[in-house]
Amino acid sequence: MIIKPLFTLLNKLPRAADFLLLAVNLRSVTKCHLLILSIGLYNGVLIAQDSKDFWVLAYPEAPFIEQTEKGKLKGFLVDEVNGILATAGIRQQILLAPWKRLELEAKAKPNVLAFALTRTPEREQNYHWITPLTANVYSVFSPQKIVRPLNNIEQLSTFDSIAVLENDVRHKLLQAQNAKNIQVYSSWSDAIDSVVSGESSAIFFSDSGVQYFCRVQGKDCNQFERVFLYEKTITYLTLSKVGSNPELVNRLKSAAEQYKDSDAFKTISKDWLKQYETLPIPMHMEDGVLNLWNK
């Protein structure tokens, strides 16, 4: 018989209520081919785990999301997202993706978890905002001397070219202003290089980002000055909105809240902050968010 062993197996799985009601034609049960779908069970909620149903994508942004020479991911945000997934009862590998692909997949396909995306009014309706991850201050830096800091984004037209990461939120901010002086790069490393070499006259980045990349690349960025302070921004762990399971959204939000209140999260936060002490990036934790400035 197939039925008895099947229910014996199901009874060994975690259950919140009756796991599943299987409708089977008893007259043809011995000929039936059962398809076991790759799913996860957490408190009675079925959550897709198969890579075709659920993706976890990240853009490599050192030092918080990095890949070792052996291909292993490391960093504070990697550990944090893995902790949230584990709390939600989901086992899924985090995959690195170029920024353009990450945003395209997270915007157009269902059940795509992505990090870390900056929350903006333009993006508000495109994603489920699961939990905040980091907070930062965005500014424009330039080696060019100006009499006084600029007061608004429109005044950035005074620069010949402003380096940005392709499809990054700062790239889109300049596009929204119909800026004609945008210089697009595929990595922040290249963007920093362009300003140091004089290929670009400014860069739209963050305080911590400029300090970090100049340090690790051994670049002399002492001549960089902040010429325009844009605003404080917050990055999030997001889930795509189109076609995503509402139960999955609620499960992830609940898991994020639960994990951030756990001793495990406090431990990894403390450990990573200790490791990051040698970096030229001011940072501190507050309300479960990594703030990239001095407390």
Side-chain angles (χ1 to χ4, degrees), residues 5 19 21 33 41-42 87 93 189 212 218 224 257-258 263 275 282 286:
F19 173 71
L21 179 60
H33 291 84
L41 178 66
Y42 189 82
T87 304
Q93 182 182 5
S189 297
Y212 176 76
F224 284 21
E257 184 177 353
Q258 181 180 342
D263 290 338
Q275 293 184 52
E286 186 174 357

Side-chain angles (χ1 to χ4, degrees), residues 136-180:
N136 209 338
V137 178
Y138 289 167
S139 305
V140 174
F141 299 87
S142 175
Q144 295 183 9
K145 305 300 180 183
I146 60 174
V147 177
R148 62 179 59 87
L150 306 179
N151 296 319
N152 56 66
I153 198 169
E154 291 84 1
Q155 293 177 327
L156 295 177
S157 60
T158 58
F159 293 102
D160 293 333
S161 57
I162 300 177
V164 293
L165 179 69
E166 185 178 14
N167 288 319
D168 177 73
V169 62
R170 286 146 291 200
H171 180 195
K172 295 185 176 181
L173 284 168
L174 293 178
Q175 285 180 319
Q177 295 297 321
N178 295 314
K180 307 300 182 185

Side-chain angles (χ1 to χ4, degrees), residues 183-223:
Q183 192 80 15
V184 178
Y185 295 91
S186 59
S187 73
W188 284 120
S189 297
D190 291 341
I192 289 286
D193 278 339
S194 75
V195 183
V196 174
S197 66
E199 180 181 335
S200 301
S201 53
I203 184 171
F204 199 176
F205 202 7
S206 63
D207 293 42
S208 59
V210 168
Q211 292 181 53
Y212 176 76
F213 280 98
C214 287
R215 171 76 173 271
V216 298
Q217 292 175 223
K219 304 294 183 181
D220 181 11
C221 299
N222 291 328
Q223 74 276 25

Side-chain angles (χ1 to χ4, degrees), residues 5-295:
L6 177 61
F7 281 110
T8 300
L9 174 62
L10 292 179
N11 283 330
K12 293 181 179 180
L13 295 174
R15 301 177 62 169
D18 292 335
F19 173 71
L20 193 61
L21 179 60
L22 297 176
V24 181
N25 186 335
L26 295 179
R27 289 175 298 179
S28 60
V29 67
T30 57
K31 300 178 182 179
C32 180
H33 291 84
L34 299 178
L35 175 64
I36 306 299
L37 298 177
S38 178
I39 56 176
L41 178 66
Y42 189 82
N43 288 348
V45 177
L46 301 179
I47 301 176
Q49 289 187 31
D50 189 275
S51 61
K52 289 179 277 189
D53 300 318
F54 181 74
W55 295 80
V56 184
L57 301 180
Y59 173 74
E61 192 160 5
F64 310 114
I65 306 169
E66 295 185 282
Q67 188 171 38
T68 67
E69 293 181 357
K70 295 183 178 181
K72 183 179 179 181
L73 296 187
K74 69 172 187 175
F76 172 66
L77 295 187
V78 173
D79 283 355
E80 180 177 357
V81 172
N82 277 328
I84 292 171
L85 290 171
T87 304
I90 301 174
R91 295 183 61 186
Q92 183 59 287
Q93 182 182 5
I94 297 172
L95 302 176
L96 294 183
W99 182 255
K100 189 173 182 178
R101 184 196 166 193
L102 180 147
E103 191 169 39
L104 179 64
E105 298 279 340
K107 186 176 179 180
K109 294 184 179 180
N111 301 322
V112 176
L113 195 68
F115 65 103
L117 274 72
T118 302
R119 191 167 189 168
T120 65
E122 295 75 21
R123 287 176 170 168
E124 188 66 35
Q125 301 304 315
N126 296 331
Y127 307 98
H128 294 287
W129 303 92
I130 303 302
T131 191
L133 300 176
T134 67
N136 209 338
V137 178
Y138 289 167
S139 305
V140 174
F141 299 87
S142 175
Q144 295 183 9
K145 305 300 180 183
I146 60 174
V147 177
R148 62 179 59 87
L150 306 179
N151 296 319
N152 56 66
I153 198 169
E154 291 84 1
Q155 293 177 327
L156 295 177
S157 60
T158 58
F159 293 102
D160 293 333
S161 57
I162 300 177
V164 293
L165 179 69
E166 185 178 14
N167 288 319
D168 177 73
V169 62
R170 286 146 291 200
H171 180 195
K172 295 185 176 181
L173 284 168
L174 293 178
Q175 285 180 319
Q177 295 297 321
N178 295 314
K180 307 300 182 185
N181 56 349
I182 306 173
Q183 192 80 15
V184 178
Y185 295 91
S186 59
S187 73
W188 284 120
S189 297
D190 291 341
I192 289 286
D193 278 339
S194 75
V195 183
V196 174
S197 66
E199 180 181 335
S200 301
S201 53
I203 184 171
F204 199 176
F205 202 7
S206 63
D207 293 42
S208 59
V210 168
Q211 292 181 53
Y212 176 76
F213 280 98
C214 287
R215 171 76 173 271
V216 298
Q217 292 175 223
K219 304 294 183 181
D220 181 11
C221 299
N222 291 328
Q223 74 276 25
F224 284 21
E225 291 186 4
R226 181 190 288 109
V227 295
F228 174 65
L229 174 62
Y230 179 64
E231 65 177 12
K232 173 183 172 182
T233 56
I234 301 175
T235 68
Y236 274 73
L237 175 65
T238 64
L239 185 72
S240 53
K241 211 163 194 179
V242 178
S244 290
N245 185 346
E247 293 292 344
L248 178 58
V249 177
N250 294 333
R251 178 59 55 194
L252 287 168
K253 286 185 176 181
S254 177
E257 184 177 353
Q258 181 180 342
Y259 179 66
K260 284 187 170 184
D261 195 40
S262 69
D263 290 338
F265 178 67
K266 294 173 185 176
T267 297
I268 70 157
S269 299
K270 183 178 179 180
D271 290 346
W272 277 111
L273 286 175
K274 185 69 176 176
Q275 293 184 52
Y276 292 150
E277 281 182 351
T278 58
L279 299 176
I281 305 177
M283 64 181 78
H284 68 278
M285 292 296 301
E286 186 174 357
D287 298 327
V289 178
L290 183 62
N291 293 326
L292 300 177
W293 60 81
N294 288 321
K295 189 171 182 178

